[in-house]
Amino acid sequence: MRPGPAPLTDTERAAIEARSVFDVTTAKSEPSSPEPETVPVNLADAGDHDALLDTFLDAHSEFEKWRTWSDETTHAIHESQTLRIERVHETPAHETAWTVAAYETPVSDRMWVLTATGATPAPVLQDLLTHLADGDGWDTVIGTPVDEKMVTSATQPLSDAGWKHTVDGRWIRWTSPDGDAGVQFDAFAAQHPSQNLATWTVWAGPGPDRPTWAITASPHTPSSLLTGLSEFLAHETGTRQAQLGREHRTRLAASAPAAPAVTASRLASRSR
């Protein structure tokens, strides 16, 4: 007799050897994660919107964070009480995740409102929040109608970058050279400024009616804010997690070493 566990039988040793072959094969066949690729900013990843808001609040003490009773929504309210940012957590990609509203006084009606969907790229939102923190255009005069000069000013960066300009009834559009992003102005909605209708629509995807993500803005949204957004879309880039193409995935699968078949008869023969 000897102390310790009983020695392994030949069958047990053969089973352990077979499992180790599978483990090594699996480890070798797993491809490494691709590096993020640089893309036009309208194609960038949405990123972590909640982390983006937390970073903004940490950097701008003039905004105070408020949570609703259900914890589904966070509000960032400026110390003047005239600018309020609402973030709805865990929002589907195509639904409104952000609402920015400006007021003439803390108890007045909205001067203007802007919304962004859940799939809006993080760099676009970060640029938007930076403009809000700088106080761009809070003193918009709500009695001033939206005229051609204001529209031209807001979209000049797009025209300068060669975006295609078209007119379709009530809609005026500027579309990127690749056709995967655009800005739309609704002339009809602009004629009803008191209703805060979606006069401006910024989108990426097949079109403004089927966007991958979208930002909407009411008539009195500051032209400086819209100009900054146009400039950002026309010239900036972002990152997107690269996806393995079908051909690449097939090649990886074909090059992976095949695991040897270990049958019961082979295990039995080893144990003899």
Side-chain angles (χ1 to χ4, degrees), residues 61-261:
S61 59
E62 67 273 22
F63 285 86
E64 187 172 357
K65 180 178 181 180
W66 293 81
R67 298 296 295 267
T68 62
W69 62 272
S70 65
D71 284 341
E72 295 178 356
T73 304
T74 296
H75 293 91
I77 303 177
H78 190 263
E79 58 189 5
S80 67
Q81 301 288 309
T82 58
L83 184 68
R84 302 165 194 175
I85 303 170
E86 179 185 78
R87 160 72 180 142
V88 182
H89 307 286
E90 299 181 5
T91 306
H94 297 88
E95 295 186 11
T96 298
W98 297 78
T99 301
V100 179
Y103 304 80
E104 190 172 11
T105 70
V107 294
S108 65
D109 294 331
R110 288 176 173 178
M111 290 195 301
W112 56 267
V113 59
L114 179 148
T115 69
T117 58
T120 303
V124 175
L125 286 172
Q126 187 171 14
D127 182 70
L128 175 63
L129 291 172
T130 298
H131 279 287
L132 295 174
D134 291 342
D136 260 351
W138 292 14
D139 54 351
T140 299
V141 180
I142 60 176
T144 303
V146 180
D147 56 19
E148 183 179 353
K149 182 179 179 180
M150 295 175 64
V151 174
T152 301
S153 174
T155 58
Q156 191 63 50
L158 304 177
S159 300
D160 293 343
W163 285 39
K164 183 179 179 181
H165 177 225
T166 58
V167 179
D168 180 15
R170 60 190 273 187
W171 293 286
I172 305 174
R173 298 190 182 102
W174 293 260
T175 309
S176 66
D178 293 335
D180 54 8
V183 175
Q184 175 177 277
F185 174 76
D186 186 341
F188 175 80
Q191 296 172 8
H192 302 80
S194 61
Q195 300 178 25
N196 277 326
L197 300 175
T199 303
W200 295 92
T201 301
V202 180
W203 87 90
D209 298 327
R210 296 182 295 116
T212 302
W213 61 266
I215 293 175
T216 66
S218 64
H220 291 303
T221 301
S223 60
S224 57
L225 187 65
L226 295 168
T227 302
L229 183 57
S230 295
E231 182 78 26
F232 199 75
L233 286 172
H235 300 292
E236 295 299 325
T237 59
T239 59
R240 180 179 62 185
Q241 187 63 40
Q243 301 295 324
L244 288 177
R246 181 178 180 180
E247 181 180 351
H248 190 196
R249 290 195 299 268
T250 303
R251 191 182 304 118
L252 284 174
S255 62

Side-chain angles (χ1 to χ4, degrees), residues 2-6:
R2 64 178 180 178

